[in-house]
Amino acid sequence: MDLWKEFEINERICSMWQELGISGGTAIIVLIVLYFVIKWAVKNGIKEAYKEIKKKTNDNLEIDKTNYEFGLNDNDTSKKV
């Protein structure tokens, strides 16, 4: 069964894949694997970015709490320790 003819894929694309020695089934498997690799990478990137944002937010909250304890306001720069 020739998947290229069955799905009516362009002749140039078909010849390119055949020159590389890749059949239709192999091409589908490669595309599926590529999809999951990209999905995994994006998921991990989002998790890493979220952790960094959360860490920065916690650091800013600690700084604000410290400033509040020392009686410093955002507008009051002359009293900074």
Side-chain angles (χ1 to χ4, degrees):
M1 176 171 72
D2 192 11
L3 291 177
W4 301 114
K5 290 180 183 176
E6 185 175 327
F7 291 116
E8 298 177 9
I9 295 178
N10 189 347
E11 190 66 33
R12 281 190 268 168
I13 294 173
C14 178
S15 65
M16 177 186 71
W17 284 103
Q18 287 178 353
E19 285 178 18
L20 293 172
I22 298 174
S23 67
T26 305
I28 291 171
I29 291 171
V30 168
L31 290 175
I32 291 170
V33 169
L34 185 63
Y35 166 78
F36 283 108
V37 167
I38 292 172
K39 181 181 174 183
W40 171 79
V42 170
K43 180 179 172 184
N44 286 342
I46 290 172
K47 282 183 179 180
E48 185 177 327
Y50 177 73
K51 287 178 186 177
E52 288 182 20
I53 291 170
K54 192 172 181 180
K55 180 182 175 187
K56 287 181 183 180
T57 303
N58 288 339
D59 290 345
N60 288 341
L61 290 175
E62 289 176 12
I63 291 170
D64 290 344
K65 183 179 176 183
T66 305
N67 287 344
Y68 178 75
E69 290 172 354
F70 286 113
L72 298 176
N73 297 331
D74 289 339
N75 298 333
D76 200 8
T77 57
S78 63
K79 294 184 181 179
K80 286 195 177 180
V81 177

Coordinates of all heavy atoms in Angstrom, one line a residue:
M1 N 0.8 -1.2 0.0 CA 0.0 0.0 0.0 C 0.9 1.2 0.0 O 1.8 1.4 0.8 CB -0.9 0.0 1.3 CG -1.7 1.2 1.4 SD -3.0 1.2 2.7 CE -2.0 1.3 4.1
D2 N 0.7 2.1 -1.0 CA 1.5 3.3 -1.1 C 0.6 4.5 -0.5 O -0.3 4.9 -1.0 CB 1.8 3.6 -2.5 CG 2.8 4.7 -2.7 OD1 3.5 5.1 -1.6 OD2 3.0 5.2 -3.8
L3 N 1.1 4.9 0.7 CA 0.3 6.0 1.4 C 0.4 7.3 0.7 O -0.5 8.1 0.8 CB 0.9 6.2 2.8 CG 0.6 5.0 3.8 CD1 1.3 5.3 5.1 CD2 -0.9 4.9 4.0
W4 N 1.5 7.5 -0.1 CA 1.6 8.8 -0.8 C 0.5 8.9 -1.8 O -0.1 10.0 -2.0 CB 3.0 8.9 -1.5 CG 4.1 8.8 -0.6 CD1 5.0 7.8 -0.5 CD2 4.5 9.7 0.5 NE1 5.9 8.0 0.5 CE2 5.6 9.2 1.1 CE3 4.0 10.9 0.9 CZ2 6.3 9.8 2.1 CZ3 4.6 11.5 2.0 CH2 5.7 11.0 2.6
K5 N 0.2 7.9 -2.6 CA -0.8 8.0 -3.6 C -2.2 7.9 -2.9 O -3.2 8.6 -3.4 CB -0.7 6.8 -4.6 CG 0.5 6.9 -5.5 CD 0.6 5.8 -6.4 CE 1.9 5.9 -7.2 NZ 2.1 4.8 -8.1
E6 N -2.4 7.2 -1.8 CA -3.6 7.1 -1.2 C -4.1 8.5 -0.6 O -5.3 8.8 -0.7 CB -3.6 6.1 0.0 CG -4.9 5.8 0.6 CD -4.8 4.7 1.7 OE1 -4.0 3.8 1.5 OE2 -5.6 4.8 2.6
F7 N -3.2 9.2 0.0 CA -3.5 10.5 0.5 C -3.3 11.7 -0.5 O -3.4 12.8 -0.1 CB -2.7 10.8 1.8 CG -3.1 9.9 2.9 CD1 -2.2 9.0 3.5 CD2 -4.4 9.9 3.5 CE1 -2.5 8.2 4.5 CE2 -4.7 9.1 4.5 CZ -3.8 8.2 5.0
E8 N -3.0 11.3 -1.7 CA -2.8 12.3 -2.8 C -1.8 13.4 -2.4 O -2.1 14.6 -2.5 CB -4.1 12.9 -3.2 CG -5.1 11.9 -3.7 CD -6.4 12.4 -4.1 OE1 -6.6 13.7 -4.1 OE2 -7.3 11.6 -4.4
I9 N -0.6 13.1 -2.0 CA 0.4 14.0 -1.6 C 1.1 14.5 -2.8 O 1.3 13.7 -3.8 CB 1.3 13.4 -0.5 CG1 0.6 13.1 0.7 CG2 2.5 14.3 -0.2 CD1 1.4 12.4 1.8
N10 N 1.6 15.7 -2.8 CA 2.2 16.3 -4.0 C 3.4 15.4 -4.4 O 4.1 14.9 -3.6 CB 2.8 17.7 -3.6 CG 3.3 18.5 -4.7 OD1 3.5 18.0 -5.8 ND2 3.5 19.8 -4.5
E11 N 3.6 15.4 -5.7 CA 4.6 14.5 -6.3 C 6.1 14.9 -5.9 O 6.9 14.1 -5.6 CB 4.5 14.5 -7.8 CG 5.4 13.5 -8.5 CD 4.9 12.1 -8.2 OE1 3.7 11.9 -8.0 OE2 5.8 11.2 -8.1
R12 N 6.3 16.2 -5.7 CA 7.6 16.7 -5.3 C 7.9 16.3 -3.9 O 9.0 15.8 -3.6 CB 7.7 18.2 -5.4 CG 8.0 18.7 -6.9 CD 8.3 20.1 -6.9 NE 7.1 20.9 -7.1 CZ 6.9 22.2 -6.9 NH1 8.0 22.9 -6.6 NH2 5.8 22.7 -7.1
I13 N 6.9 16.4 -3.0 CA 7.1 16.0 -1.6 C 7.4 14.5 -1.6 O 8.2 14.0 -0.9 CB 5.9 16.4 -0.8 CG1 5.9 17.9 -0.7 CG2 6.0 15.8 0.6 CD1 4.6 18.4 0.0
C14 N 6.6 13.8 -2.4 CA 6.7 12.3 -2.4 C 8.1 11.9 -2.9 O 8.7 11.0 -2.3 CB 5.7 11.7 -3.4 SG 5.7 10.0 -3.6
S15 N 8.6 12.5 -3.9 CA 9.9 12.1 -4.4 C 11.0 12.5 -3.4 O 12.0 11.8 -3.3 CB 10.2 12.8 -5.8 OG 10.3 14.2 -5.6
M16 N 10.8 13.6 -2.7 CA 11.8 14.0 -1.7 C 11.9 13.0 -0.6 O 13.0 12.6 -0.2 CB 11.4 15.4 -1.1 CG 12.4 15.9 0.0 SD 11.8 17.4 0.8 CE 10.5 16.8 1.8
W17 N 10.8 12.5 -0.1 CA 10.8 11.6 1.0 C 11.4 10.2 0.5 O 12.1 9.5 1.2 CB 9.3 11.3 1.5 CG 8.9 12.4 2.4 CD1 8.0 13.4 2.1 CD2 9.3 12.7 3.8 NE1 7.8 14.3 3.1 CE2 8.6 13.8 4.2 CE3 10.1 12.0 4.6 CZ2 8.7 14.3 5.5 CZ3 10.2 12.5 5.9 CH2 9.5 13.7 6.3
Q18 N 11.0 9.9 -0.8 CA 11.6 8.6 -1.3 C 13.1 8.7 -1.5 O 13.8 7.7 -1.3 CB 10.8 8.3 -2.6 CG 9.4 7.8 -2.3 CD 8.7 7.5 -3.6 OE1 9.2 7.8 -4.7 NE2 7.5 7.0 -3.5
E19 N 13.6 9.9 -1.9 CA 15.1 10.0 -2.0 C 15.7 9.9 -0.7 O 16.9 9.4 -0.6 CB 15.4 11.4 -2.6 CG 15.1 11.5 -4.1 CD 15.5 12.9 -4.6 OE1 16.2 13.6 -3.9 OE2 15.0 13.2 -5.7
L20 N 15.1 10.3 0.4 CA 15.6 10.1 1.7 C 15.5 8.7 2.2 O 16.0 8.4 3.3 CB 15.0 11.1 2.7 CG 15.2 12.6 2.4 CD1 14.4 13.4 3.3 CD2 16.7 12.9 2.7
G21 N 14.7 7.9 1.6 CA 14.5 6.5 2.0 C 13.5 6.4 3.1 O 13.5 5.4 3.9
I22 N 12.5 7.3 3.1 CA 11.5 7.3 4.2 C 10.2 6.9 3.6 O 9.7 7.6 2.6 CB 11.4 8.7 4.9 CG1 12.8 9.0 5.6 CG2 10.3 8.7 5.9 CD1 12.9 10.4 6.2
S23 N 9.5 5.9 4.2 CA 8.2 5.5 3.7 C 7.1 6.4 4.4 O 7.4 7.1 5.3 CB 8.0 4.1 3.9 OG 7.9 3.8 5.3
G24 N 5.9 6.2 4.0 CA 4.8 7.0 4.5 C 4.6 6.7 6.0 O 4.4 7.6 6.8
G25 N 4.7 5.4 6.4 CA 4.5 5.1 7.8 C 5.6 5.6 8.7 O 5.3 6.1 9.8
T26 N 6.8 5.6 8.2 CA 7.9 6.1 8.9 C 7.8 7.6 9.1 O 8.0 8.2 10.2 CB 9.3 5.8 8.2 OG1 9.4 4.4 8.0 CG2 10.4 6.3 9.0
A27 N 7.3 8.3 8.1 CA 7.1 9.8 8.1 C 6.1 10.1 9.2 O 6.2 11.1 10.0 CB 6.7 10.3 6.8
I28 N 5.0 9.3 9.2 CA 3.9 9.6 10.2 C 4.5 9.4 11.6 O 4.2 10.2 12.5 CB 2.7 8.7 9.9 CG1 2.0 9.1 8.6 CG2 1.7 8.7 11.1 CD1 1.0 8.2 8.2
I29 N 5.2 8.3 11.8 CA 5.8 8.0 13.2 C 6.8 9.2 13.6 O 6.7 9.6 14.7 CB 6.5 6.7 13.2 CG1 5.5 5.6 13.1 CG2 7.4 6.5 14.4 CD1 6.1 4.2 12.9
V30 N 7.6 9.6 12.7 CA 8.5 10.7 12.9 C 7.8 12.0 13.3 O 8.1 12.7 14.3 CB 9.5 11.0 11.7 CG1 10.2 12.3 11.9 CG2 10.4 9.9 11.6
L31 N 6.7 12.3 12.6 CA 5.9 13.5 12.9 C 5.2 13.4 14.3 O 5.1 14.4 15.1 CB 4.9 13.7 11.8 CG 5.4 14.2 10.5 CD1 4.3 14.3 9.5 CD2 6.1 15.5 10.6
I32 N 4.7 12.2 14.6 CA 4.1 12.0 15.9 C 5.1 12.2 17.1 O 4.9 12.8 18.1 CB 3.4 10.6 16.0 CG1 2.2 10.6 15.1 CG2 3.1 10.2 17.4 CD1 1.6 9.2 14.9
V33 N 6.3 11.6 16.9 CA 7.4 11.7 17.9 C 7.8 13.2 18.0 O 8.0 13.7 19.1 CB 8.6 10.8 17.5 CG1 9.8 11.2 18.4 CG2 8.2 9.4 17.7
L34 N 7.9 13.9 16.9 CA 8.3 15.3 16.9 C 7.2 16.1 17.7 O 7.6 17.0 18.5 CB 8.4 15.8 15.5 CG 8.9 17.2 15.3 CD1 10.3 17.4 15.9 CD2 8.9 17.6 13.9
Y35 N 6.0 15.8 17.5 CA 4.9 16.5 18.2 C 5.0 16.3 19.7 O 5.0 17.3 20.4 CB 3.5 15.9 17.7 CG 2.4 16.3 18.6 CD1 1.8 17.6 18.5 CD2 1.9 15.4 19.6 CE1 0.8 18.0 19.4 CE2 0.8 15.8 20.4 CZ 0.3 17.1 20.3 OH -0.7 17.4 21.1
F36 N 5.3 15.1 20.2 CA 5.4 14.9 21.6 C 6.6 15.5 22.2 O 6.6 15.9 23.3 CB 5.3 13.4 21.9 CG 3.9 12.9 21.8 CD1 3.4 12.1 20.8 CD2 2.9 13.2 22.8 CE1 2.1 11.6 20.7 CE2 1.6 12.8 22.7 CZ 1.2 12.0 21.7
V37 N 7.7 15.5 21.4 CA 9.0 16.1 21.9 C 8.8 17.6 22.1 O 9.1 18.2 23.2 CB 10.1 15.8 21.0 CG1 11.3 16.7 21.3 CG2 10.5 14.3 21.1
I38 N 8.1 18.3 21.1 CA 7.9 19.7 21.2 C 6.9 20.0 22.4 O 7.1 20.9 23.2 CB 7.4 20.2 19.9 CG1 8.5 20.2 18.9 CG2 6.8 21.7 20.0 CD1 8.1 20.5 17.5
K39 N 5.9 19.2 22.5 CA 4.9 19.3 23.6 C 5.6 19.2 24.9 O 5.3 20.0 25.9 CB 3.8 18.3 23.4 CG 2.7 18.3 24.5 CD 1.7 17.2 24.3 CE 0.7 17.2 25.4 NZ -0.3 16.2 25.3
W40 N 6.4 18.2 25.1 CA 7.2 18.0 26.4 C 8.1 19.2 26.7 O 8.1 19.7 27.8 CB 8.0 16.7 26.3 CG 8.9 16.5 27.4 CD1 8.6 16.1 28.6 CD2 10.3 16.7 27.4 NE1 9.8 16.0 29.4 CE2 10.8 16.4 28.7 CE3 11.2 17.2 26.4 CZ2 12.2 16.5 29.0 CZ3 12.6 17.3 26.7 CH2 13.0 16.9 28.0
A41 N 8.8 19.7 25.6 CA 9.7 20.9 25.8 C 8.9 22.1 26.2 O 9.4 22.9 27.1 CB 10.5 21.1 24.6
V42 N 7.8 22.4 25.6 CA 7.0 23.6 25.9 C 6.5 23.4 27.3 O 6.5 24.4 28.1 CB 5.9 23.8 24.9 CG1 4.9 24.8 25.4 CG2 6.4 24.1 23.5
K43 N 6.0 22.3 27.7 CA 5.4 22.0 29.0 C 6.5 22.3 30.1 O 6.3 23.0 31.1 CB 4.9 20.6 29.1 CG 4.3 20.2 30.5 CD 3.8 18.8 30.4 CE 3.4 18.3 31.8 NZ 3.0 16.9 31.8
N44 N 7.7 21.8 29.9 CA 8.8 22.0 30.9 C 9.2 23.5 30.9 O 9.6 24.0 32.0 CB 10.0 21.1 30.6 CG 9.7 19.7 30.9 OD1 8.8 19.4 31.7 ND2 10.5 18.7 30.4
G45 N 9.2 24.1 29.8 CA 9.6 25.5 29.7 C 8.6 26.4 30.5 O 9.0 27.3 31.2
I46 N 7.3 26.1 30.4 CA 6.3 26.8 31.1 C 6.4 26.6 32.6 O 6.3 27.5 33.4 CB 4.9 26.4 30.6 CG1 4.7 27.0 29.2 CG2 3.8 26.9 31.5 CD1 3.4 26.5 28.5
K47 N 6.7 25.3 33.0 CA 6.9 25.0 34.4 C 8.0 25.8 35.0 O 8.0 26.4 36.1 CB 7.1 23.5 34.6 CG 5.8 22.7 34.5 CD 6.2 21.3 34.8 CE 4.9 20.4 34.8 NZ 5.3 19.0 35.1
E48 N 9.2 25.8 34.2 CA 10.4 26.5 34.7 C 10.1 28.0 34.8 O 10.5 28.6 35.8 CB 11.5 26.2 33.7 CG 12.8 26.8 34.2 CD 13.9 26.4 33.2 OE1 13.9 25.3 32.6 OE2 14.9 27.2 33.1
A49 N 9.5 28.6 33.8 CA 9.1 30.0 33.9 C 8.2 30.3 35.0 O 8.4 31.4 35.7 CB 8.5 30.5 32.6
Y50 N 7.2 29.5 35.3 CA 6.3 29.7 36.4 C 7.0 29.7 37.7 O 6.8 30.5 38.6 CB 5.2 28.6 36.4 CG 4.3 28.8 37.5 CD1 3.3 29.8 37.6 CD2 4.3 27.9 38.6 CE1 2.4 29.9 38.6 CE2 3.4 28.0 39.7 CZ 2.5 29.0 39.7 OH 1.7 29.1 40.7
K51 N 8.0 28.8 37.9 CA 8.8 28.7 39.1 C 9.6 30.0 39.3 O 9.7 30.5 40.5 CB 9.7 27.5 39.1 CG 9.0 26.1 39.3 CD 9.9 25.0 39.2 CE 9.2 23.7 39.3 NZ 10.1 22.5 39.1
E52 N 10.2 30.5 38.3 CA 11.0 31.7 38.4 C 10.1 32.9 38.7 O 10.5 33.7 39.6 CB 11.7 32.0 37.1 CG 12.9 31.0 36.8 CD 13.6 31.4 35.6 OE1 13.5 32.5 35.1 OE2 14.3 30.5 35.1
I53 N 8.9 33.0 38.1 CA 8.0 34.1 38.4 C 7.5 34.0 39.9 O 7.5 35.0 40.6 CB 6.8 34.1 37.4 CG1 7.3 34.4 36.0 CG2 5.7 35.0 37.9 CD1 6.2 34.2 35.0
K54 N 7.2 32.8 40.3 CA 6.8 32.6 41.7 C 7.9 33.0 42.7 O 7.6 33.6 43.7 CB 6.3 31.2 41.9 CG 5.6 30.9 43.1 CD 5.0 29.5 43.2 CE 4.2 29.3 44.4 NZ 3.7 27.9 44.5
K55 N 9.1 32.6 42.3 CA 10.2 32.9 43.2 C 10.4 34.4 43.3 O 10.6 35.0 44.4 CB 11.5 32.3 42.7 CG 12.7 32.5 43.5 CD 14.0 31.9 43.0 CE 15.2 32.3 43.8 NZ 16.4 31.8 43.1
K56 N 10.4 35.1 42.2 CA 10.5 36.6 42.1 C 9.4 37.3 42.9 O 9.6 38.2 43.6 CB 10.6 37.1 40.7 CG 11.8 36.8 40.0 CD 11.8 37.4 38.6 CE 13.1 37.0 37.9 NZ 13.1 37.5 36.5
T57 N 8.2 36.7 42.8 CA 7.0 37.3 43.5 C 7.2 37.1 45.0 O 7.0 38.1 45.8 CB 5.7 36.6 43.1 OG1 5.6 36.8 41.7 CG2 4.5 37.2 43.7
N58 N 7.7 35.9 45.4 CA 7.9 35.7 46.9 C 9.1 36.6 47.4 O 9.0 37.1 48.5 CB 8.3 34.2 47.1 CG 7.1 33.3 47.0 OD1 5.9 33.8 47.0 ND2 7.3 32.1 46.7
D59 N 10.1 36.8 46.6 CA 11.2 37.7 47.0 C 10.7 39.1 47.1 O 11.0 39.8 48.1 CB 12.3 37.7 46.0 CG 13.1 36.3 46.0 OD1 12.9 35.6 46.9 OD2 13.8 36.1 45.0
N60 N 9.9 39.6 46.2 CA 9.3 40.9 46.3 C 8.4 41.1 47.5 O 8.4 42.1 48.2 CB 8.5 41.3 45.0 CG 9.4 41.5 43.8 OD1 10.6 41.7 44.0 ND2 8.9 41.4 42.6
L61 N 7.7 40.0 47.8 CA 6.8 40.1 49.0 C 7.6 40.2 50.3 O 7.3 40.9 51.2 CB 5.9 38.9 49.1 CG 4.7 38.8 48.1 CD1 4.0 37.5 48.2 CD2 3.8 40.0 48.3
E62 N 8.7 39.5 50.3 CA 9.6 39.5 51.5 C 10.3 40.9 51.6 O 10.4 41.4 52.7 CB 10.7 38.4 51.4 CG 10.2 37.0 51.6 CD 11.3 36.0 51.4 OE1 12.5 36.4 51.4 OE2 10.9 34.8 51.3
I63 N 10.6 41.5 50.5 CA 11.2 42.9 50.5 C 10.2 43.9 51.0 O 10.5 44.7 51.9 CB 11.8 43.3 49.2 CG1 13.0 42.4 48.8 CG2 12.1 44.7 49.1 CD1 13.5 42.5 47.4
D64 N 8.9 43.7 50.5 CA 7.9 44.6 51.0 C 7.6 44.5 52.5 O 7.4 45.4 53.2 CB 6.6 44.4 50.2 CG 6.7 44.8 48.7 OD1 7.6 45.6 48.4 OD2 5.9 44.4 47.9
K65 N 7.6 43.2 52.9 CA 7.4 43.0 54.3 C 8.5 43.6 55.2 O 8.2 44.2 56.2 CB 7.3 41.5 54.6 CG 7.0 41.1 56.0 CD 6.9 39.6 56.1 CE 6.6 39.2 57.6 NZ 6.6 37.7 57.8
T66 N 9.7 43.4 54.8 CA 10.9 44.0 55.5 C 10.8 45.5 55.5 O 11.0 46.2 56.5 CB 12.2 43.6 54.8 OG1 12.2 42.2 54.8 CG2 13.4 44.1 55.6
N67 N 10.4 46.1 54.4 CA 10.3 47.6 54.3 C 9.1 48.0 55.2 O 9.3 49.1 55.9 CB 10.0 48.0 52.9 CG 11.2 48.0 52.0 OD1 12.3 47.9 52.5 ND2 10.9 48.0 50.7
Y68 N 8.1 47.3 55.3 CA 7.0 47.6 56.2 C 7.4 47.6 57.7 O 7.0 48.4 58.5 CB 5.8 46.7 55.9 CG 4.6 47.0 56.8 CD1 3.8 48.1 56.6 CD2 4.3 46.1 57.9 CE1 2.7 48.4 57.4 CE2 3.2 46.4 58.7 CZ 2.4 47.5 58.5 OH 1.4 47.8 59.3
E69 N 8.2 46.5 58.0 CA 8.6 46.4 59.4 C 9.5 47.5 59.8 O 9.5 47.9 60.9 CB 9.3 45.0 59.5 CG 8.4 43.8 59.5 CD 9.2 42.5 59.5 OE1 10.4 42.5 59.4 OE2 8.5 41.5 59.5
F70 N 10.4 48.0 58.9 CA 11.3 49.1 59.2 C 10.6 50.5 59.0 O 11.2 51.5 59.2 CB 12.5 49.1 58.3 CG 13.5 48.0 58.8 CD1 13.7 46.9 58.0 CD2 14.1 48.1 60.0 CE1 14.6 45.9 58.4 CE2 15.0 47.1 60.4 CZ 15.2 46.0 59.6
G71 N 9.4 50.5 58.5 CA 8.6 51.8 58.4 C 9.0 52.5 57.1 O 8.8 53.7 57.0
L72 N 9.5 51.8 56.1 CA 9.9 52.4 54.8 C 8.7 52.3 53.9 O 8.1 51.3 53.7 CB 11.1 51.8 54.2 CG 12.4 51.8 55.1 CD1 13.5 51.0 54.4 CD2 12.9 53.2 55.2
N73 N 8.5 53.4 53.2 CA 7.5 53.5 52.1 C 8.2 53.5 50.8 O 9.4 53.8 50.7 CB 6.6 54.7 52.2 CG 5.8 54.7 53.5 OD1 5.5 53.6 54.0 ND2 5.5 55.9 54.0
D74 N 7.5 53.3 49.7 CA 8.1 53.3 48.4 C 8.5 54.7 48.0 O 9.5 55.0 47.4 CB 7.1 52.8 47.3 CG 6.8 51.4 47.4 OD1 7.7 50.7 47.9 OD2 5.8 50.9 46.8
N75 N 7.8 55.7 48.5 CA 8.1 57.1 48.2 C 9.2 57.7 49.1 O 9.8 58.7 48.9 CB 6.9 58.0 48.4 CG 5.8 57.6 47.4 OD1 6.1 57.1 46.3 ND2 4.5 57.8 47.7
D76 N 9.5 57.0 50.2 CA 10.4 57.5 51.2 C 11.8 56.9 51.0 O 12.1 55.9 51.6 CB 9.9 57.2 52.6 CG 10.5 58.0 53.7 OD1 11.2 59.0 53.3 OD2 10.3 57.7 54.9
T77 N 12.6 57.5 50.1 CA 13.9 56.9 49.8 C 15.0 57.4 50.7 O 16.1 56.8 50.8 CB 14.3 57.2 48.4 OG1 14.3 58.7 48.2 CG2 13.4 56.6 47.4
S78 N 14.8 58.4 51.5 CA 15.8 59.0 52.4 C 16.0 58.1 53.6 O 17.1 58.2 54.2 CB 15.4 60.4 52.8 OG 14.2 60.3 53.6
K79 N 15.1 57.2 54.0 CA 15.2 56.4 55.2 C 15.8 55.0 54.9 O 15.9 54.2 55.8 CB 13.9 56.2 55.9 CG 13.3 57.5 56.4 CD 12.0 57.2 57.1 CE 11.4 58.4 57.7 NZ 10.1 58.1 58.4
K80 N 16.2 54.7 53.7 CA 16.6 53.4 53.4 C 17.9 53.0 54.1 O 18.8 53.9 54.3 CB 16.9 53.2 51.9 CG 15.6 53.1 51.1 CD 15.8 52.6 49.7 CE 14.5 52.5 49.0 NZ 14.6 52.0 47.7
V81 N 18.0 51.8 54.6 CA 19.1 51.3 55.4 C 20.3 51.0 54.6 O 20.2 50.5 53.5 CB 18.7 50.1 56.2 CG1 19.8 49.5 57.0 CG2 17.5 50.4 57.1

